[in-house]
Amino acid sequence: MTRPIALTMGDPNGIGPEITVKAYADPRRRPPVVVIGDPATLARACRITGVDLTVRPIASLADAAHAPGVLDVLAEGTLPEDLPLGTVDARAGAASFHYVRRGIELALGGEVRALTTAPINKEALRRAGLPYPGHTEILAELSGTSDYAMMMANDELRIVLVTVHQSLRTAIDSLTTARELEIIRLTDRTLRAGRATGPSGARPRIAVAALNPHAGENGLFGREDLDIIEPAVRAARRDGIDVSGPWPADTVFMRARAGEFDAVVAQYHDQGLIPVKYLGLEHGVNITIGLPFVRTSVDHGTAFDLAGRGTADHTSLLTALHHADDLSTQVPATPAA
């Protein structure tokens, strides 16, 4: 049996447990999977969704049976029975963090071939006293990674973000030429190495989206594109990277979708995520690039308003598992030194 993919069930009060059991039971799922989470919560998710699985707690990966109709769960802690669905709760936030931490440990040790994560809730993390705005920052810190970024991808677009989980004002203030160049270089290395979904080549074509409308119109609408982004693009080109821009953001994603570019570097969260999500949440996947292991995730949140109904769509999670399978097959994980 090949090494499994570790799948964290996400915030216990959101749709994570429900889409986890649905994806696990889906006949389209290819790779062997071990879930990290709470067995009782996952058993409740099976009842809610009508998924016919036997939830089987295990103490280690060696205990996994990978048997049909059996959900192997690495039990991480115990949740109280009165934890209410659809609510922000510090206990759920702390649990979701512990699941991710265990997954990172397994990935760094080479015990799993990839890590896929169901959604967590940022407010629940904060209530639990955990200073992380999201998965990306947890993964980077606990793996000791300093050069990393979030990539959102589907069959038509690959978007890498310069800034992620912060206000628009602070995102703009944090833009620097050094950071732009770091992201361009990381995007190029990732695509060359086949560490991202979709076609990769020896010299991928990278576009950089402008910050301001019309790329600033030569400084009429702000000088950030002239003073911060353009110097980074020029420096990357001197490195031999096929990169261009900054291009107006209202057309660059359309051009990438038409095949002109292999990836687009976006300046802030919504600039990059709106085009991907507009094409369909069920087709998108979140990939953390720069990590020493493959990590994928859904491109949606905890959806507390849907929790407990059994109707949440698990397609994005299934897509994330498939991409984790493909990427970890192309580039096997290496145990941390």
Side-chain angles (χ1 to χ4, degrees):
M1 176 67 68
T2 183
R3 288 175 302 161
I5 291 173
L7 169 59
T8 60
M9 77 172 198
D11 190 294
N13 288 356
I15 62 171
E18 295 172 44
I19 62 173
T20 292
V21 300
K22 284 185 173 183
Y24 194 95
D26 195 307
R28 294 173 293 176
R29 174 176 64 86
R30 300 194 305 260
V33 170
V34 171
V35 175
I36 305 173
D38 178 66
T41 300
L42 290 162
R44 178 176 65 177
C46 288
R47 295 192 296 271
I48 290 171
T49 59
V51 170
D52 185 16
L53 286 174
T54 298
V55 176
R56 178 175 175 265
I58 58 176
S60 70
L61 291 179
D63 299 327
H66 302 293
V70 176
L71 175 62
D72 293 314
V73 183
L74 274 172
E76 187 70 18
T78 303
L79 289 171
E81 294 181 2
D82 63 346
L83 204 61
L85 286 171
T87 62
V88 177
D89 192 293
R91 296 168 295 179
S96 66
F97 170 77
H98 293 313
Y99 306 150
V100 177
R101 182 175 63 185
R102 181 74 177 278
I104 292 170
E105 292 170 352
L106 293 172
L108 288 175
E111 297 181 69
V112 297
R113 51 192 289 218
L115 175 63
T116 297
T117 57
I120 59 177
N121 184 271
K122 298 169 182 61
E123 185 179 351
L125 287 176
R126 187 169 64 250
R127 290 191 183 185
L130 296 163
Y132 302 102
H135 268 122
T136 303
E137 295 78 10
I138 296 173
L139 290 156
E141 180 173 311
L142 298 189
S143 68
T145 304
S146 58
D147 191 5
Y148 64 92
M150 176 191 290
M151 172 184 282
M152 298 296 291
N154 56 28
D155 291 338
E156 300 178 82
L157 289 174
R158 290 188 285 193
I159 313 296
V160 181
L161 302 180
V162 178
T163 64
V164 188
H165 297 124
Q166 56 192 111
S167 72
L168 183 56
R169 182 177 300 279
T170 61
I172 292 171
D173 290 342
S174 69
L175 293 177
T176 65
T177 298
R179 177 61 176 164
E180 294 283 339
L181 181 56
E182 179 183 85
I183 293 298
I184 293 169
R185 287 171 171 165
L186 177 59
T187 302
D188 181 67
R189 290 198 307 272
T190 299
L191 297 183
R192 286 174 186 265
R195 302 283 302 202
T197 180
S200 298
R203 198 163 181 255
R205 302 160 300 164
I206 301 169
V208 179
L211 174 68
N212 296 302
H214 302 183
E217 288 281 13
N218 264 339
L220 291 176
F221 303 152
R223 294 197 56 85
E224 291 87 355
D225 297 292
L226 285 173
D227 297 342
I228 297 174
I229 300 175
E230 277 193 18
V233 172
R234 290 197 299 268
R237 291 185 68 85
R238 288 195 297 270
D239 290 344
I241 297 174
D242 186 356
V243 59
S244 59
W247 298 109
D250 59 353
T251 56
V252 70
F253 301 105
M254 175 185 66
R255 294 168 64 185
R257 187 184 181 197
E260 188 173 346
F261 305 114
D262 297 307
V264 178
V265 172
Q267 301 304 317
Y268 57 91
H269 186 278
D270 286 11
Q271 183 187 61
L273 267 60
I274 287 173
V276 174
K277 293 189 176 185
Y278 179 76
L279 293 174
L281 288 174
E282 68 277 13
H283 303 298
V285 61
N286 179 341
I287 304 169
T288 306
I289 62 175
L291 296 174
F293 52 84
V294 172
R295 180 264 176 168
T296 65
S297 187
V298 295
D299 68 350
H300 59 75
T302 49
F304 283 153
D305 57 321
L306 295 180
R309 298 185 183 181
T311 58
D313 189 348
H314 67 286
T315 310
S316 180
L317 183 56
L318 190 65
T319 300
L321 285 169
H322 285 170
H323 283 307
D325 182 34
D326 292 339
L327 294 174
S328 59
T329 299
Q330 295 171 22
V331 185
T334 301

